[in-house]
Amino acid sequence: METLKKHRCFDGQLGFYKHDSEVNNAPMTFAVYMPPQAKKKRVPVLFYLSGLTCTEENFMAKAGAQQYAAKHGIALVSMDTSPRDLGLPGEEDSYDFGAGAGFYVNATEQPWARYYQMYDYVVDELPALIFEHFRIDKDRVSIFGHSMGGHGALVIALRNPGKYRSVSAFSPIVAPMHNDWGTKAFSGYLGDNKETWKQYDTCELVKETNSNIPLFVDQGMKDEFLTDYLQPERLEAVCQEQNHPLTLRKHNGYDHSYYFISTFMEDHIDYHADLLLA
């Protein structure tokens, strides 16, 4: 693990790091904010998954989360959204597939399968690295994300009952099988068998999951991607049908940006803190 840079932040420390990922067969970068409480004890951790085109730095620079994490004594971890600079055909051709668009799946189609194992990276490899090198309480782990990362957080929490204390999302892609973002990514990474896509679709997972973890979602109602790509009404309907606990807050006038995320970040950190520190 290579340290790229460190910054003092709200009496804690924000660091940026790089390592050779075994599951992705490529270098990966991530960021960790350790609150001041970590100087004396192990602290809970909250993993954040970013959206399309983002790196590990977008969240740390724009969300304003560190001040709330410092107040509660919670570590924050963010990571890049895919391996990069691999020289794969089509890797840089579009914003919604390839570099910056790993969709938190384990790709099965070549050439992506060798390098794009982002589900395993988030669920297993990166947490193991974090637990080894930082003062983290590995029994107190939660996850959240935005857009593509909101999709990833919800899917990962639903597929891993008991692993996460809580999950939340900003503007998540909840039904990727039913929009152009999802069908493009899934067909490219997973192939044409749509049965295999269901394991990465929140609405499909709610129908079959053994997990009863509550879902906490914030959605801006002026979001430019609301109707075509985010489709929160699908999540609302399936959770009602399956009696799955869901808090879906709809905010008039807010869009898809970090201006929206930063406005409600304190609510999300408070939500996770209540469950991580219980």
Side-chain angles (χ1 to χ4, degrees), residues 46-203:
L46 180 54
F47 285 86
Y48 179 85
L49 309 186
S50 293
L52 288 166
T53 75
C54 290
T55 70
E56 70 283 355
E57 191 162 16
N58 294 75
F59 168 73
M60 293 297 185
K62 296 179 179 181
Q66 293 93 332
Q67 59 184 312
Y68 309 120
K71 181 178 77 171
H72 291 293
I74 295 172
L76 300 171
V77 177
S78 61
M79 72 291 301
D80 205 348
T81 49
S82 77
R84 295 181 188 265
D85 303 317
L86 300 175
L88 300 178
E91 179 185 19
E92 302 280 356
D93 287 356
S94 61
Y95 77 96
D96 54 356
F97 185 81
F103 269 85
Y104 305 102
V105 304
N106 284 339
T108 56
E109 296 295 298
Q110 297 298 343
W112 312 101
R114 176 169 170 78
Y115 304 102
Y116 277 58
Q117 301 293 309
M118 287 299 294
Y119 178 89
D120 282 351
Y121 182 71
V122 172
V123 174
D124 296 316
E125 186 179 28
L126 183 58
L129 189 69
I130 298 297
F131 299 152
E132 178 182 355
H133 291 281
F134 298 89
R135 297 187 75 180
I136 299 295
D137 182 347
K138 62 182 181 180
D139 295 321
R140 296 176 182 268
V141 181
S142 291
I143 192 167
F144 69 150
H146 168 237
S147 193
M148 178 184 71
H151 139 77
L154 295 175
V155 164
I156 286 169
L158 288 168
R159 286 182 58 180
N160 293 274
K163 190 177 184 73
Y164 302 94
R165 292 281 186 99
S166 53
V167 60
S168 72
F170 296 92
S171 316
I173 307 168
V174 298
M177 293 180 65
H178 299 280
N179 63 63
D180 290 345
W181 276 345
T183 56
K184 178 179 180 178
F186 288 0
S187 60
Y189 295 136
L190 304 173
D192 295 331
N193 183 359
K194 293 187 177 181
E195 285 300 309
T196 67
W197 298 9
K198 290 182 179 180
Q199 62 186 313
Y200 299 111
D201 186 296
T202 296
C203 288

Side-chain angles (χ1 to χ4, degrees), residues 16-32:
F16 291 85
Y17 307 91
K18 184 178 183 179
H19 76 116
D20 290 326
S21 167
E22 291 185 8
V23 298
N24 289 326
N25 288 294
M28 291 292 297
T29 50
F30 63 96
V32 180

